Amino acid sequence: MSDSGPDTLDGRELDVAIIGAGVGGLYALQRVRDQLGMNALAIDDAPALGGTWFWNKYPGCRVDTESSVYAYSFDKDLFVDWEWSERYALQPEVLAYLNAVADKHDLKRSIVFETRITEATWNEDKSRWALTTAAGDTFHARYLIEGVGLLSSSYAPEFPGRGDFRGEVLLASKWPDNPPDLAGKRVGVVGTGSTGIQIITALAETVGHLYVFQRTPQWCVPLGVGPFPDATRRRMREDPEGFRDWALNTGAVFGFVESTVSALDVSHEERQRVYEAAWQKGNGFAFMLETFSDIVVSPEANQTATDFIKGKIHSIVNDPGTAELLTPKDYYAKRPLAADGYYETFNRDNVTLVDVKSAPIERFSRAGLVTATGEYALDTLILATGFDAITGNYLRIETTGRGGLRLQDKWKEGPRARCGMTIADFPNLFMVFGPFSPFTSQPLVHEWQIDWFTTLVQEAEARGGVVDTEQSAEDAWVATCQEQMAGTLFAVTDSWINGSNIPGKPRASMAYMGGMAGYMAEMNAIAEAGYRGFRFG
Ligand SMILES: Cc1cc2nc3c(=O)[nH]c(=O)nc-3n(C[C@H](O)[C@H](O)[C@H](O)COP(=O)(O)OP(=O)(O)OC[C@H]3O[C@@H](n4cnc5c(N)ncnc54)[C@H](O)[C@@H]3O)c2cc1C
């Protein structure tokens, strides 16, 4: 347990318990403890704060949201004075920023580290949550905020024979504090999602040989790494609220305005011009959403984008066979990937692309990894195999709501929740960016959600101390989200967005696809109608 947090949790009675001390948990703590004056603690199983930015220390780890919107706005001074060095901050800089926020607001004294919450049970008679830690401590809180992370529950496939392997296996999402020196080594990377492509492009120059074990090729565009733009800094300083409101009122809160022009309403030449400009500018979300309005909803529009990227892959990658292997066959409709020089990496003599779709990984050997067609000798294998996203960490906590209802049962066929924040029959429990939240960049949206549901907590305090969402309101929210998702190509493209990256996980809609502006309008309307669809008592 941290020496800055309280000594023991056992027997504590809190107003608010917060699980997680990442971007979400930290602001939730500041908000309820300092702005609302409640007795609150945050609990995290990590030895230090930062969540994602504590755990993911792998080479090349950085945000792919513009740094300008990867920040809190509640502290205006820090919002404008923090000197982001890069357009897309590297992990150490994000972690330093979060520590600066925590230090300035003296948050660490209210965080208990190295403590995992394993159970949460609603006590109807006492109107409070009973929480149990992995060490067996029990404590209580009238309100429970779960900031457990959208991409935090790591997933790693088990290849047989791990004990035989003489080399080292590293999990990207639990990167060690003292990693081995990979310079000159034979390194394998399994996984080519957002994390994999960052590692591959970061390591290719320094390792002896890099084996990229690819099951699914990815549409990847340049990120456009560079110094933090002066023009953005000026804009933020001149009008911080205006800048924050502008960002929040875009669809994806990624620091650009989405296009309203169909890809099919312009000439081929104009499309090429727009795509080329976006390719030069960088940012995956911008390529997907700032170029044209219908890439993620129309198969024909989508194909114009994939034809363009396919052309780039084949013009960049020298070996036609490798280029073909790197070319996806599905829609451009996953969380978009962006890294500078990704496809160029495969022209290097010390990089080998291994197709493990046609010849799957079978097992470890003493020397390395064995696929259906050969053995690859490795000193280090890096697993960049993703996350049990969105629902994973909620379901790892044995959570029981009203009438003995288990969350694990309620979500058996996929999550059910309202507004991305509340779950019917789980009163006084609030999720930060839970299932059915908007499909956006996170920190500013975390803040917005936390402000919204803690204002609801204030309302609950005035109306009996308990608030629960109505089942019918939850059903309606889920139906809206399902309908929105069904109108997109995300629904039919395998990815963590719909749960299809995890064997056995039910495929489900899990996001609100109406954009942040639409989301805020719906949330504000609920609040203005006296918290329509919520029961107090
Ligand atoms: C490599 C990477 C890059 C990313 N880049 C971006 C980006 O560019 N833009 C963007 O918007 N988002 C990005 N994300 C998503 C990122 O997770 C969020 O932006 C944000 O950091 C989430 O903050 P959080 O507080 O909700 O959760 P997290 O940062 O995941 O923190 C949750 C914390 O809760 C702890 N926890 C969970 N369950 C328990 C439990 N039962 N008991 C105790 N502790 C628990 C976890 O260990 C963790 O420390 C990225 C994610 C990854 C993995």
Side-chain angles (χ1 to χ4, degrees):
M1 194 172 286
S2 150
D3 55 9
S4 51
D7 291 338
T8 180
L9 278 169
D10 204 34
R12 298 273 304 227
E13 297 287 337
L14 301 171
D15 292 330
V16 186
I18 299 157
I19 310 178
V23 174
L26 289 175
Y27 177 60
L29 178 60
Q30 197 279 338
R31 167 80 176 152
V32 293
R33 191 194 70 179
D34 298 352
Q35 298 181 42
L36 305 187
M38 298 176 92
N39 167 22
L41 287 178
I43 301 102
D44 199 303
D45 56 358
L49 62 77
T52 293
W53 306 104
F54 169 80
W55 293 114
N56 293 265
K57 304 184 189 88
Y58 59 78
C61 181
R62 65 168 77 235
V63 289
D64 62 4
T65 303
E66 308 271 341
S67 305
S68 55
V69 292
Y70 203 87
Y72 300 115
S73 66
F74 78 92
D75 182 328
K76 292 288 170 303
D77 293 337
L78 262 182
F79 188 57
V80 295
D81 291 341
W82 183 262
E83 295 279 345
W84 293 110
S85 62
E86 292 198 61
R87 183 178 168 199
Y88 304 100
L90 281 159
Q91 172 269 341
E93 194 169 9
V94 182
L95 190 60
Y97 168 74
L98 294 175
N99 273 285
V101 173
D103 288 341
K104 181 172 174 191
H105 293 275
D106 193 17
L107 297 179
K108 289 176 188 167
R109 70 178 161 85
S110 302
I111 306 175
V112 182
F113 292 109
E114 294 183 309
T115 302
R116 184 158 189 84
I117 302 297
T118 53
E119 283 176 45
T121 306
W122 174 249
N123 183 319
E124 188 73 37
D125 296 334
K126 296 191 169 158
S127 299
R128 65 183 191 184
W129 284 94
L131 297 152
T132 309
T133 70
D137 288 351
T138 299
F139 61 104
H140 300 101
R142 295 194 296 116
Y143 297 91
L144 175 60
I145 297 176
E146 297 201 19
V148 293
L150 174 96
L151 294 170
S152 171
S153 179
S154 305
Y155 167 69
E158 287 291 331
F159 303 121
R162 166 116 179 222
D164 300 339
F165 180 44
R166 283 175 309 182
E168 194 155 10
V169 180
L170 302 176
L171 187 58
S173 54
K174 294 281 181 291
W175 199 254
D177 285 333
N178 298 305
D181 181 5
L182 299 176
K185 299 281 171 51
R186 297 162 303 174
V187 177
V189 177
V190 179
T192 51
S194 295
T195 293
I197 62 163
Q198 289 188 337
I199 294 175
I200 291 161
T201 47
L203 283 185
E205 277 183 24
T206 52
V207 299
H209 202 97
L210 187 66
Y211 294 93
V212 177
F213 296 93
Q214 174 192 274
R215 194 179 57 175
T216 312
Q218 305 285 353
W219 300 112
C220 178
V221 307
L223 183 59
V225 166
F228 191 87
D230 287 339
T232 309
R233 206 185 303 280
R234 268 197 307 279
R235 238 181 109 196
M236 291 172 76
R237 289 201 171 143
E238 276 162 18
D239 181 10
E241 279 94 358
F243 184 85
R244 189 265 323 270
D245 293 346
W246 164 79
L248 277 175
N249 277 287
T250 61
V253 196
F254 257 75
F256 61 83
V257 177
E258 288 77 8
S259 170
T260 53
V261 177
S262 164
L264 307 176
D265 280 353
V266 299
S267 66
H268 175 74
E269 291 68 30
E270 173 62 4
R271 269 199 304 269
Q272 297 307 104
R273 188 195 66 72
V274 170
Y275 285 140
E276 184 59 39
W279 185 271
Q280 297 306 330
K281 176 185 167 194
N283 190 323
F285 271 80
F287 191 92
M288 180 181 269
L289 301 172
E290 194 185 25
T291 49
F292 296 107
S293 61
D294 48 357
I295 289 175
V296 296
V297 294
S298 153
E300 294 77 24
N302 198 273
Q303 195 179 339
T304 66
T306 56
D307 282 350
F308 180 87
I309 305 175
K310 186 175 176 178
K312 286 289 186 189
I313 299 172
H314 283 262
S315 72
I316 292 168
V317 180
N318 298 334
D319 174 52
T322 305
E324 195 49 34
L325 266 183
L326 286 167
T327 306
K329 306 290 177 272
D330 52 4
Y331 292 120
Y332 179 47
K334 304 181 181 190
R335 188 189 188 280
L337 267 57
D340 292 332
Y342 177 63
Y343 296 119
E344 286 84 344
T345 301
F346 295 92
N347 289 334
R348 299 179 62 92
D349 291 339
N350 71 332
V351 176
T352 303
L353 182 65
V354 184
D355 175 20
V356 294
K357 181 87 170 173
S358 63
I361 295 170
E362 293 184 341
R363 60 180 172 85
F364 281 100
S365 62
R366 268 171 73 76
L369 263 192
V370 178
T371 73
T373 51
E375 183 181 32
Y376 296 87
L378 303 170
D379 300 305
T380 304
L381 180 70
I382 299 172
L383 297 175
T385 40
F387 299 92
D388 181 356
I390 307 178
T391 55
N393 269 345
Y394 296 100
L395 292 172
R396 283 190 180 176
I397 302 169
E398 180 64 38
T399 307
T400 308
R402 282 197 155 128
L405 178 62
R406 294 174 66 242
L407 188 67
Q408 284 71 9
D409 292 332
K410 174 162 175 151
W411 285 9
K412 210 169 182 172
E413 306 299 329
R416 313 280 307 173
R418 183 172 181 218
C419 312
M421 298 186 266
T422 63
I423 310 169
D425 287 323
F426 293 78
N428 289 14
L429 187 160
F430 299 95
M431 300 177 289
V432 183
F433 219 82
F436 307 108
S437 286
F439 183 64
T440 56
S441 175
Q442 296 192 35
L444 290 175
V445 177
H446 281 186
E447 266 187 332
W448 200 91
Q449 284 191 327
I450 290 164
D451 285 344
W452 194 92
F453 71 63
T454 52
T455 306
L456 175 57
V457 164
Q458 288 179 293
E459 183 80 8
E461 288 291 85
R463 293 167 71 175
V466 179
V467 58
D468 194 359
T469 197
E470 287 172 6
Q471 186 62 59
S472 56
E474 178 177 278
D475 292 343
W477 187 263
V478 172
T480 299
C481 293
Q482 285 172 338
E483 207 173 297
Q484 288 171 345
M485 187 62 90
T488 75
L489 300 172
F490 292 111
V492 292
T493 308
D494 288 352
S495 81
W496 61 256
I497 292 174
N498 50 44
S500 52
N501 64 322
I502 301 294
K505 183 167 176 170
R507 193 182 181 105
S509 301
M510 296 192 273
Y512 174 90
M513 299 305 260
M516 186 59 188
Y519 178 78
M520 291 190 298
E522 294 211 38
M523 295 293 89
N524 288 338
I526 291 170
E528 280 156 20
Y531 291 101
R532 187 182 60 228
F534 286 96
R535 269 179 294 140
F536 298 87

